């Protein structure tokens, strides 16, 4: 086993395990850092709602001229899960900015 | 016996000198306090292999006290002593299993040292959030430092005549 800088099998397993633990930590760092982040919803330029990013909720948004969008906040991610606008572009977008032009809805995430 | 006493003095001085060199260098990452190479641990590793657990532990504890009093103050002393004791226990335990090389033992030492210091900091500050934010970068920093000091210790062990 004296090759690769004299690393043994146990060395490699230890190194891989520690790298994995560090990697997992880095993967959940955005969510930890986002604990004070807020989701701002505006309709036609006026503030409609401000929600914490770290609380899972669903919000019905009454958009401009009778349009509707359904906002879902889950696991620190933001998405529009339903919309009655014709193009449904908003449902394909994600944070930090989601815009629905027909309903004049803007959703932004502030990581402060 | 006298040879051991001489070795004790020389290696202790070497550890304190290594700590002083690190104290003089600018921080590796300015916004991550406590990220450093741990050159003194390289000396401790060599001692662990050549003089055994007891000898290495004594040098390790005394060098922490001396370097702490000289360079970093009482709180720095508590952090470095805590990190040193936990990482030394882990390294000595891995060495006892005879399955790891110096490099693996050093990597484990670097990682556990940083994790222990972070745990102490989280306890003192009574703030678990600090822990969850800092543990990944500090773990990675400990790994890297462990690889570097481990390589140095490996080269030393292959070449030192005593």
């Amino acid at each position: 086993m004296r090759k690769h800088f004299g690393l043994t099998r146990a060395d490699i397993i230890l190194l891989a395990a520690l790298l994995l633990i560090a990697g997992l930590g880095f993967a959940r760092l955005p969510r930890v850092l986002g604990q004070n982040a807020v989701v701002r919803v505006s309709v036609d330029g006026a503030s409609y709602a401000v929600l914490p990013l770290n609380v899972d909720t669903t919000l019905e948004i009454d958009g401009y001229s009778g349009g509707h969008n359904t906002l879902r906040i889950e696991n620190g991610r933001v998405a529009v899960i339903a919309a009655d606008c014709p193009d449904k572009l908003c449902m394909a977008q994600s944070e930090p900015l989601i815009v629905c032009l027909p309903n004049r809805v803007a959703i932004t995430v502030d990581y402060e | 016996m006298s040879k051991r006493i001489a070795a004790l003095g020389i290696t202790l001085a070497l550890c304190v000198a290594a700590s002083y060199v690190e104290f003089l260098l600018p921080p590796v990452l300015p916004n991550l306090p406590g990220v450093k190479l741990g050159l003194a641990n390289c000396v401790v590793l060599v001692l662990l292999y050549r003089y055994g657990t007891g000898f290495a532990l004594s040098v390790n504890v005394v060098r922490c006290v001396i370097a702490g009093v000289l360079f970093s103050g009482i709180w720095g002393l508590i952090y470095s002593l805590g990190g040193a004791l936990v990482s030394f226990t882990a390294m000595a335990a891995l060495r006892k299993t005879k399955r790891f090389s110096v490099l693996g033992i050093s990597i484990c030492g670097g990682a556990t040292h940083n994790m222990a210091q972070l745990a102490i900091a989280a306890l003192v500050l009574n703030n678990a959030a600090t822990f969850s934010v800092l543990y990944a970068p500090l773990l990675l920093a400990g790994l890297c430092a462990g690889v570097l000091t481990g390589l140095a210790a490996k080269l030393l062990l292959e070449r030192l005549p005593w």
Side-chain angles (χ1 to χ4, degrees), chain B residues 30-143:
Chain B
N31 45 4
L32 257 187
V35 173
K36 55 178 183 166
L37 194 49
L39 275 176
N41 195 50
C42 186
V43 182
V44 173
L45 269 172
V46 171
L47 291 180
L48 186 61
Y49 273 79
R50 289 291 157 88
Y51 283 86
T53 312
F55 191 96
L57 181 62
S58 341
V59 170
N60 205 4
V61 169
V62 179
R63 67 107 182 162
C64 278
V65 174
I66 294 176
V69 168
L70 284 179
F71 311 129
S72 58
I74 282 297
W75 280 105
L77 171 60
I78 291 171
Y79 284 117
S80 69
L81 208 51
L85 287 177
V86 171
S87 71
F88 187 84
T89 310
M91 291 194 298
L94 285 200
R95 179 161 147 69
K96 281 274 185 289
T97 67
K98 299 194 192 306
R99 285 169 184 273
F100 295 86
S101 75
V102 203
L103 208 49
I105 291 174
S106 174
I107 289 168
C108 174
T112 48
H113 177 271
N114 279 10
M115 291 303 94
Q117 289 203 331
L118 184 55
I120 295 170
L123 280 176
V124 170
L125 300 172
N126 201 5
N127 184 351
T130 317
F131 192 93
S132 54
V133 172
L134 286 178
Y135 100 82
L138 283 180
L139 183 56
L140 194 63
L143 278 182

Side-chain angles (χ1 to χ4, degrees), chain A residues 91-107:
Chain A
M91 292 176 65
Q93 299 170 31
S94 64
E95 67 272 7
L97 175 65
I98 301 176
V99 175
C100 173
L101 282 179
N103 294 344
R104 299 197 189 174
V105 171
I107 299 158

